[in-house]
Amino acid sequence: MRHFLTLNDLSKDEILNILDLASQIKKDTLNKIYTPYLREQTLAMIFEKSSTRTRVSFEVGIHQLGGKGLFLSSKDIQLGRGEPVKDTARVLGGMVDMIMARVYKQSDLEELAKYSGVPVINGLSDDFHPVQLMADLLTLKELGLNLAKMKVAYIGDGNNMSHSWLMAASKIGFTLNIATPKSYEPKEQILKIALENAKTSRAKIELLNDPKIAAKDANVITTDTWISMGQEDQKQKRIKDFAGFCVDDEIMALGKNAIFLHCLPAYRGYEVSEEIFEKHASEIFAQAHNRLHAQKAIMVWCDRNKND
Ligand code: CP
Ligand code: NVA
């Protein structure tokens, strides 16, 4: 059975095939053709953290595929009162066809996958946000970029989004510059996996501490919040430490007519200036809307591969 816990679980071809399927499903959806690929199937959606896009896109997505989504806030289910993940997994696995979970620990997703007996999709963990990356890649493909040849600059925190960009670059083979303040670099063990993958894909990956060097000649400049969910108590320190990392006119001007992406929610005046956000709003909201289409393709892929 295949799960979707990190892009590292997939080959380059699998990633590209899911993107093709997403484009086809999107075209149909925009023509109001809703093929029931997952007729009568139920998706459990566990949320330990808040969400707007992930919740709505999965719930609408499974509905459009002919199935039903169950929103399960960990505050409302027994998981939040200490029921073990592996027991929750075994209960849900006997009742639902697929699980999407937004959790703190990546190991909880692995436990859900191990014990549930149904495909599990990562809807964000402290380490990765792979469904977001699929929407990002779909958006860049639609904007005409050659995914294998593009140059992406990720500017900001070495968090789950930076890790997912590392996985995407290292699988697909594009150039990725990541600029973070010192001591906010991506996790070493994740970087190691990316560098190992890059030997095959020929991705060029560079970690920097200067956003201006990172942005030079980039086709895509992207960022994310400096304060991820669960880090609220570090807010004041982080705002100080990230001085100089706001993506503004000066940084965008260094790119090559660069596209700007942001997974949202965005905090203007911090990781991105108001002007840059609004100038690139059509790209950013296309990216947000592509969550729906990319994730429908991911669910169909999981269903098609559940007997592997
Ligand atoms: N980008 C993203 O995952 O948004 P939500 O937190 O609103 O789901
Ligand atoms: N890095 C952010 C992404 C939000 C979609 C977080 O984990 O909160």
mmCIF file of all heavy atoms in Angstrom, residues 162-200:
data_model
loop_
_atom_site.group_PDB
_atom_site.id
_atom_site.type_symbol
_atom_site.label_atom_id
_atom_site.label_comp_id
_atom_site.label_asym_id
_atom_site.label_seq_id
_atom_site.Cartn_x
_atom_site.Cartn_y
_atom_site.Cartn_z
ATOM 1 N N SER A 162 10.348 24.508 3.733
ATOM 2 C CA SER A 162 11.704 24.431 3.153
ATOM 3 C C SER A 162 12.079 22.961 2.946
ATOM 4 O O SER A 162 12.679 22.602 1.935
ATOM 5 C CB SER A 162 12.728 25.132 4.052
ATOM 6 O OG SER A 162 13.113 24.321 5.139
ATOM 7 N N HIS A 163 11.686 22.113 3.889
ATOM 8 C CA HIS A 163 11.990 20.680 3.748
ATOM 9 C C HIS A 163 11.266 20.084 2.543
ATOM 10 O O HIS A 163 11.811 19.230 1.832
ATOM 11 C CB HIS A 163 11.548 19.914 5.009
ATOM 12 C CG HIS A 163 12.314 20.291 6.237
ATOM 13 N ND1 HIS A 163 11.830 20.088 7.509
ATOM 14 C CD2 HIS A 163 13.540 20.870 6.395
ATOM 15 C CE1 HIS A 163 12.733 20.512 8.389
ATOM 16 N NE2 HIS A 163 13.767 21.001 7.738
ATOM 17 N N SER A 164 10.052 20.518 2.313
ATOM 18 C CA SER A 164 9.293 19.970 1.186
ATOM 19 C C SER A 164 9.864 20.469 -0.138
ATOM 20 O O SER A 164 9.905 19.729 -1.124
ATOM 21 C CB SER A 164 7.814 20.328 1.323
ATOM 22 O OG SER A 164 7.310 19.646 2.457
ATOM 23 N N TRP A 165 10.333 21.713 -0.153
ATOM 24 C CA TRP A 165 11.020 22.203 -1.363
ATOM 25 C C TRP A 165 12.293 21.397 -1.610
ATOM 26 O O TRP A 165 12.634 21.094 -2.758
ATOM 27 C CB TRP A 165 11.339 23.702 -1.250
ATOM 28 C CG TRP A 165 10.180 24.570 -1.631
ATOM 29 C CD1 TRP A 165 9.375 25.281 -0.801
ATOM 30 C CD2 TRP A 165 9.671 24.791 -2.958
ATOM 31 N NE1 TRP A 165 8.400 25.930 -1.522
ATOM 32 C CE2 TRP A 165 8.564 25.652 -2.844
ATOM 33 C CE3 TRP A 165 10.045 24.345 -4.232
ATOM 34 C CZ2 TRP A 165 7.822 26.075 -3.954
ATOM 35 C CZ3 TRP A 165 9.314 24.767 -5.344
ATOM 36 C CH2 TRP A 165 8.216 25.610 -5.197
ATOM 37 N N LEU A 166 12.984 21.044 -0.523
ATOM 38 C CA LEU A 166 14.202 20.224 -0.674
ATOM 39 C C LEU A 166 13.870 18.874 -1.313
ATOM 40 O O LEU A 166 14.587 18.407 -2.201
ATOM 41 C CB LEU A 166 14.839 19.973 0.698
ATOM 42 C CG LEU A 166 15.758 21.063 1.237
ATOM 43 C CD1 LEU A 166 16.108 20.789 2.700
ATOM 44 C CD2 LEU A 166 17.034 21.155 0.403
ATOM 45 N N MET A 167 12.775 18.258 -0.838
ATOM 46 C CA MET A 167 12.393 16.964 -1.408
ATOM 47 C C MET A 167 12.002 17.118 -2.878
ATOM 48 O O MET A 167 12.387 16.311 -3.726
ATOM 49 C CB MET A 167 11.222 16.349 -0.624
ATOM 50 C CG MET A 167 11.583 15.884 0.760
ATOM 51 S SD MET A 167 12.910 14.664 0.739
ATOM 52 C CE MET A 167 14.122 15.428 1.770
ATOM 53 N N ALA A 168 11.238 18.160 -3.183
ATOM 54 C CA ALA A 168 10.779 18.366 -4.566
ATOM 55 C C ALA A 168 11.969 18.593 -5.496
ATOM 56 O O ALA A 168 12.089 17.956 -6.549
ATOM 57 C CB ALA A 168 9.808 19.547 -4.632
ATOM 58 N N ALA A 169 12.866 19.480 -5.097
ATOM 59 C CA ALA A 169 14.033 19.779 -5.951
ATOM 60 C C ALA A 169 14.869 18.530 -6.153
ATOM 61 O O ALA A 169 15.291 18.221 -7.275
ATOM 62 C CB ALA A 169 14.880 20.876 -5.312
ATOM 63 N N SER A 170 15.088 17.802 -5.072
ATOM 64 C CA SER A 170 16.004 16.662 -5.143
ATOM 65 C C SER A 170 15.421 15.514 -5.937
ATOM 66 O O SER A 170 16.160 14.695 -6.469
ATOM 67 C CB SER A 170 16.406 16.211 -3.742
ATOM 68 O OG SER A 170 15.347 15.554 -3.094
ATOM 69 N N LYS A 171 14.101 15.442 -6.019
ATOM 70 C CA LYS A 171 13.480 14.395 -6.838
ATOM 71 C C LYS A 171 13.410 14.828 -8.301
ATOM 72 O O LYS A 171 13.689 14.051 -9.211
ATOM 73 C CB LYS A 171 12.051 14.106 -6.327
ATOM 74 C CG LYS A 171 12.019 13.329 -5.040
ATOM 75 C CD LYS A 171 12.288 11.856 -5.287
ATOM 76 C CE LYS A 171 12.437 11.089 -3.989
ATOM 77 N NZ LYS A 171 12.496 9.645 -4.192
ATOM 78 N N ILE A 172 13.005 16.080 -8.513
ATOM 79 C CA ILE A 172 12.749 16.533 -9.890
ATOM 80 C C ILE A 172 14.030 17.028 -10.578
ATOM 81 O O ILE A 172 14.167 16.915 -11.795
ATOM 82 C CB ILE A 172 11.636 17.609 -9.895
ATOM 83 C CG1 ILE A 172 10.329 16.931 -9.455
ATOM 84 C CG2 ILE A 172 11.446 18.259 -11.258
ATOM 85 C CD1 ILE A 172 9.172 17.845 -9.254
ATOM 86 N N GLY A 173 14.947 17.562 -9.782
ATOM 87 C CA GLY A 173 16.237 17.941 -10.364
ATOM 88 C C GLY A 173 16.414 19.421 -10.628
ATOM 89 O O GLY A 173 17.318 19.817 -11.365
ATOM 90 N N PHE A 174 15.571 20.272 -10.015
ATOM 91 C CA PHE A 174 15.753 21.708 -10.276
ATOM 92 C C PHE A 174 16.747 22.327 -9.284
ATOM 93 O O PHE A 174 17.203 21.683 -8.343
ATOM 94 C CB PHE A 174 14.419 22.463 -10.308
ATOM 95 C CG PHE A 174 13.523 22.363 -9.097
ATOM 96 C CD1 PHE A 174 13.699 23.178 -7.997
ATOM 97 C CD2 PHE A 174 12.454 21.475 -9.096
ATOM 98 C CE1 PHE A 174 12.857 23.114 -6.906
ATOM 99 C CE2 PHE A 174 11.596 21.383 -8.004
ATOM 100 C CZ PHE A 174 11.794 22.207 -6.909
ATOM 101 N N THR A 175 17.071 23.588 -9.550
ATOM 102 C CA THR A 175 18.004 24.317 -8.688
ATOM 103 C C THR A 175 17.235 24.964 -7.548
ATOM 104 O O THR A 175 16.206 25.606 -7.775
ATOM 105 C CB THR A 175 18.739 25.400 -9.514
ATOM 106 O OG1 THR A 175 19.477 24.730 -10.541
ATOM 107 C CG2 THR A 175 19.682 26.224 -8.666
ATOM 108 N N LEU A 176 17.709 24.772 -6.336
ATOM 109 C CA LEU A 176 17.038 25.346 -5.162
ATOM 110 C C LEU A 176 18.058 26.036 -4.268
ATOM 111 O O LEU A 176 19.011 25.413 -3.798
ATOM 112 C CB LEU A 176 16.329 24.231 -4.365
ATOM 113 C CG LEU A 176 15.670 24.651 -3.048
ATOM 114 C CD1 LEU A 176 14.501 25.618 -3.286
ATOM 115 C CD2 LEU A 176 15.156 23.418 -2.280
ATOM 116 N N ASN A 177 17.838 27.332 -4.064
ATOM 117 C CA ASN A 177 18.633 28.075 -3.078
ATOM 118 C C ASN A 177 17.745 28.314 -1.874
ATOM 119 O O ASN A 177 16.626 28.818 -2.021
ATOM 120 C CB ASN A 177 19.039 29.450 -3.628
ATOM 121 C CG ASN A 177 20.143 29.346 -4.656
ATOM 122 O OD1 ASN A 177 20.798 28.320 -4.774
ATOM 123 N ND2 ASN A 177 20.355 30.434 -5.397
ATOM 124 N N ILE A 178 18.241 27.965 -0.710
ATOM 125 C CA ILE A 178 17.476 28.231 0.511
ATOM 126 C C ILE A 178 18.271 29.227 1.346
ATOM 127 O O ILE A 178 19.417 28.964 1.710
ATOM 128 C CB ILE A 178 17.236 26.939 1.318
ATOM 129 C CG1 ILE A 178 16.355 25.981 0.508
ATOM 130 C CG2 ILE A 178 16.603 27.248 2.678
ATOM 131 C CD1 ILE A 178 15.908 24.743 1.262
ATOM 132 N N ALA A 179 17.660 30.376 1.626
ATOM 133 C CA ALA A 179 18.332 31.377 2.466
ATOM 134 C C ALA A 179 17.589 31.505 3.782
ATOM 135 O O ALA A 179 16.388 31.814 3.801
ATOM 136 C CB ALA A 179 18.378 32.728 1.762
ATOM 137 N N THR A 180 18.302 31.248 4.866
ATOM 138 C CA THR A 180 17.715 31.385 6.212
ATOM 139 C C THR A 180 18.689 32.187 7.065
ATOM 140 O O THR A 180 19.885 32.219 6.779
ATOM 141 C CB THR A 180 17.557 30.007 6.891
ATOM 142 O OG1 THR A 180 18.869 29.474 7.169
ATOM 143 C CG2 THR A 180 16.790 29.013 6.041
ATOM 144 N N PRO A 181 18.194 32.770 8.159
ATOM 145 C CA PRO A 181 19.156 33.328 9.115
ATOM 146 C C PRO A 181 19.954 32.176 9.722
ATOM 147 O O PRO A 181 19.495 31.029 9.706
ATOM 148 C CB PRO A 181 18.266 33.975 10.192
ATOM 149 C CG PRO A 181 16.906 34.059 9.600
ATOM 150 C CD PRO A 181 16.800 32.984 8.573
ATOM 151 N N LYS A 182 21.109 32.488 10.264
ATOM 152 C CA LYS A 182 21.942 31.442 10.905
ATOM 153 C C LYS A 182 21.142 30.802 12.040
ATOM 154 O O LYS A 182 20.412 31.497 12.757
ATOM 155 C CB LYS A 182 23.222 32.062 11.463
ATOM 156 C CG LYS A 182 24.199 32.404 10.371
ATOM 157 C CD LYS A 182 25.651 32.333 10.877
ATOM 158 C CE LYS A 182 26.612 32.467 9.728
ATOM 159 N NZ LYS A 182 26.662 33.806 9.126
ATOM 160 N N SER A 183 21.271 29.515 12.141
ATOM 161 C CA SER A 183 20.595 28.664 13.147
ATOM 162 C C SER A 183 19.111 28.420 12.835
ATOM 163 O O SER A 183 18.409 27.798 13.632
ATOM 164 C CB SER A 183 20.812 29.143 14.587
ATOM 165 O OG SER A 183 19.884 30.120 14.944
ATOM 166 N N TYR A 184 18.634 28.893 11.681
ATOM 167 C CA TYR A 184 17.275 28.545 11.235
ATOM 168 C C TYR A 184 17.319 27.699 9.958
ATOM 169 O O TYR A 184 16.362 27.667 9.198
ATOM 170 C CB TYR A 184 16.439 29.812 11.017
ATOM 171 C CG TYR A 184 16.098 30.503 12.319
ATOM 172 C CD1 TYR A 184 16.863 31.562 12.792
ATOM 173 C CD2 TYR A 184 15.019 30.070 13.084
ATOM 174 C CE1 TYR A 184 16.568 32.190 13.996
ATOM 175 C CE2 TYR A 184 14.704 30.695 14.294
ATOM 176 C CZ TYR A 184 15.476 31.751 14.734
ATOM 177 O OH TYR A 184 15.164 32.361 15.932
ATOM 178 N N GLU A 185 18.440 27.034 9.729
ATOM 179 C CA GLU A 185 18.607 26.211 8.526
ATOM 180 C C GLU A 185 17.677 24.998 8.590
ATOM 181 O O GLU A 185 17.259 24.590 9.679
ATOM 182 C CB GLU A 185 20.065 25.712 8.422
ATOM 183 C CG GLU A 185 21.067 26.786 8.018
ATOM 184 C CD GLU A 185 21.649 27.544 9.210
ATOM 185 O OE1 GLU A 185 21.253 27.253 10.355
ATOM 186 O OE2 GLU A 185 22.502 28.437 8.990
ATOM 187 N N PRO A 186 17.399 24.365 7.435
ATOM 188 C CA PRO A 186 16.624 23.117 7.437
ATOM 189 C C PRO A 186 17.326 22.062 8.289
ATOM 190 O O PRO A 186 18.534 22.135 8.512
ATOM 191 C CB PRO A 186 16.625 22.698 5.961
ATOM 192 C CG PRO A 186 16.960 23.921 5.197
ATOM 193 C CD PRO A 186 17.785 24.791 6.086
ATOM 194 N N LYS A 187 16.546 21.057 8.726
ATOM 195 C CA LYS A 187 17.122 19.976 9.551
ATOM 196 C C LYS A 187 18.193 19.226 8.771
ATOM 197 O O LYS A 187 17.976 18.894 7.594
ATOM 198 C CB LYS A 187 16.030 18.966 9.919
ATOM 199 C CG LYS A 187 15.159 19.393 11.051
ATOM 200 C CD LYS A 187 14.277 18.213 11.478
ATOM 201 C CE LYS A 187 13.312 18.639 12.562
ATOM 202 N NZ LYS A 187 12.313 17.619 12.862
ATOM 203 N N GLU A 188 19.265 18.917 9.482
ATOM 204 C CA GLU A 188 20.403 18.273 8.819
ATOM 205 C C GLU A 188 20.045 16.935 8.180
ATOM 206 O O GLU A 188 20.481 16.620 7.081
ATOM 207 C CB GLU A 188 21.518 18.073 9.841
ATOM 208 C CG GLU A 188 22.849 18.631 9.376
ATOM 209 C CD GLU A 188 23.827 18.679 10.510
ATOM 210 O OE1 GLU A 188 24.429 17.632 10.774
ATOM 211 O OE2 GLU A 188 23.957 19.758 11.133
ATOM 212 N N GLN A 189 19.230 16.143 8.904
ATOM 213 C CA GLN A 189 18.961 14.799 8.370
ATOM 214 C C GLN A 189 18.086 14.871 7.105
ATOM 215 O O GLN A 189 18.200 14.037 6.211
ATOM 216 C CB GLN A 189 18.359 13.878 9.451
ATOM 217 C CG GLN A 189 16.878 13.758 9.485
ATOM 218 C CD GLN A 189 16.327 13.829 10.918
ATOM 219 O OE1 GLN A 189 16.715 14.693 11.716
ATOM 220 N NE2 GLN A 189 15.420 12.941 11.247
ATOM 221 N N ILE A 190 17.280 15.920 6.994
ATOM 222 C CA ILE A 190 16.442 16.071 5.796
ATOM 223 C C ILE A 190 17.298 16.584 4.632
ATOM 224 O O ILE A 190 17.179 16.116 3.497
ATOM 225 C CB ILE A 190 15.221 16.976 6.103
ATOM 226 C CG1 ILE A 190 14.306 16.236 7.097
ATOM 227 C CG2 ILE A 190 14.471 17.371 4.823
ATOM 228 C CD1 ILE A 190 13.164 17.025 7.659
ATOM 229 N N LEU A 191 18.194 17.504 4.953
ATOM 230 C CA LEU A 191 19.124 17.994 3.933
ATOM 231 C C LEU A 191 19.962 16.842 3.376
ATOM 232 O O LEU A 191 20.196 16.750 2.158
ATOM 233 C CB LEU A 191 20.042 19.061 4.550
ATOM 234 C CG LEU A 191 21.090 19.647 3.618
ATOM 235 C CD1 LEU A 191 20.427 20.442 2.488
ATOM 236 C CD2 LEU A 191 22.061 20.546 4.386
ATOM 237 N N LYS A 192 20.349 15.950 4.264
ATOM 238 C CA LYS A 192 21.175 14.804 3.865
ATOM 239 C C LYS A 192 20.424 13.926 2.848
ATOM 240 O O LYS A 192 20.995 13.504 1.834
ATOM 241 C CB LYS A 192 21.518 13.986 5.121
ATOM 242 C CG LYS A 192 22.863 13.327 5.057
ATOM 243 C CD LYS A 192 23.241 12.752 6.409
ATOM 244 C CE LYS A 192 23.733 11.332 6.168
ATOM 245 N NZ LYS A 192 23.764 10.526 7.371
ATOM 246 N N ILE A 193 19.149 13.699 3.109
ATOM 247 C CA ILE A 193 18.333 12.887 2.177
ATOM 248 C C ILE A 193 18.279 13.597 0.818
ATOM 249 O O ILE A 193 18.444 12.993 -0.237
ATOM 250 C CB ILE A 193 16.892 12.675 2.724
ATOM 251 C CG1 ILE A 193 16.917 11.895 4.046
ATOM 252 C CG2 ILE A 193 15.999 11.969 1.693
ATOM 253 C CD1 ILE A 193 15.576 11.851 4.774
ATOM 254 N N ALA A 194 18.063 14.922 0.869
ATOM 255 C CA ALA A 194 17.956 15.688 -0.378
ATOM 256 C C ALA A 194 19.272 15.617 -1.169
ATOM 257 O O ALA A 194 19.254 15.427 -2.392
ATOM 258 C CB ALA A 194 17.580 17.137 -0.073
ATOM 259 N N LEU A 195 20.367 15.771 -0.475
ATOM 260 C CA LEU A 195 21.660 15.753 -1.180
ATOM 261 C C LEU A 195 21.948 14.370 -1.763
ATOM 262 O O LEU A 195 22.543 14.253 -2.835
ATOM 263 C CB LEU A 195 22.789 16.217 -0.252
ATOM 264 C CG LEU A 195 22.684 17.687 0.194
ATOM 265 C CD1 LEU A 195 23.797 18.041 1.171
ATOM 266 C CD2 LEU A 195 22.686 18.645 -0.998
ATOM 267 N N GLU A 196 21.474 13.341 -1.086
ATOM 268 C CA GLU A 196 21.647 11.980 -1.596
ATOM 269 C C GLU A 196 20.793 11.809 -2.877
ATOM 270 O O GLU A 196 21.280 11.338 -3.902
ATOM 271 C CB GLU A 196 21.202 10.988 -0.495
ATOM 272 C CG GLU A 196 21.571 9.536 -0.740
ATOM 273 C CD GLU A 196 23.045 9.312 -1.037
ATOM 274 O OE1 GLU A 196 23.888 9.956 -0.392
ATOM 275 O OE2 GLU A 196 23.343 8.496 -1.947
ATOM 276 N N ASN A 197 19.536 12.251 -2.827
ATOM 277 C CA ASN A 197 18.661 12.183 -4.013
ATOM 278 C C ASN A 197 19.253 12.985 -5.178
ATOM 279 O O ASN A 197 19.129 12.603 -6.341
ATOM 280 C CB ASN A 197 17.280 12.786 -3.733
ATOM 281 C CG ASN A 197 16.463 11.973 -2.748
ATOM 282 O OD1 ASN A 197 16.750 10.798 -2.512
ATOM 283 N ND2 ASN A 197 15.437 12.594 -2.181
ATOM 284 N N ALA A 198 19.861 14.115 -4.828
ATOM 285 C CA ALA A 198 20.376 15.023 -5.863
ATOM 286 C C ALA A 198 21.476 14.382 -6.701
ATOM 287 O O ALA A 198 21.713 14.786 -7.843
ATOM 288 C CB ALA A 198 20.868 16.324 -5.228
ATOM 289 N N LYS A 199 22.111 13.370 -6.131
ATOM 290 C CA LYS A 199 23.164 12.688 -6.905
ATOM 291 C C LYS A 199 22.565 12.038 -8.147
ATOM 292 O O LYS A 199 23.195 11.970 -9.191
ATOM 293 C CB LYS A 199 23.836 11.614 -6.038
ATOM 294 C CG LYS A 199 24.725 12.181 -4.973
ATOM 295 C CD LYS A 199 25.406 11.059 -4.201
ATOM 296 C CE LYS A 199 26.120 11.614 -2.984
ATOM 297 N NZ LYS A 199 26.399 10.573 -1.985
ATOM 298 N N THR A 200 21.326 11.560 -8.029
ATOM 299 C CA THR A 200 20.651 10.939 -9.170
ATOM 300 C C THR A 200 19.950 11.982 -10.039
ATOM 301 O O THR A 200 20.039 11.947 -11.263
ATOM 302 C CB THR A 200 19.580 9.924 -8.671
ATOM 303 O OG1 THR A 200 20.176 9.120 -7.672
ATOM 304 C CG2 THR A 200 19.024 9.088 -9.798
#
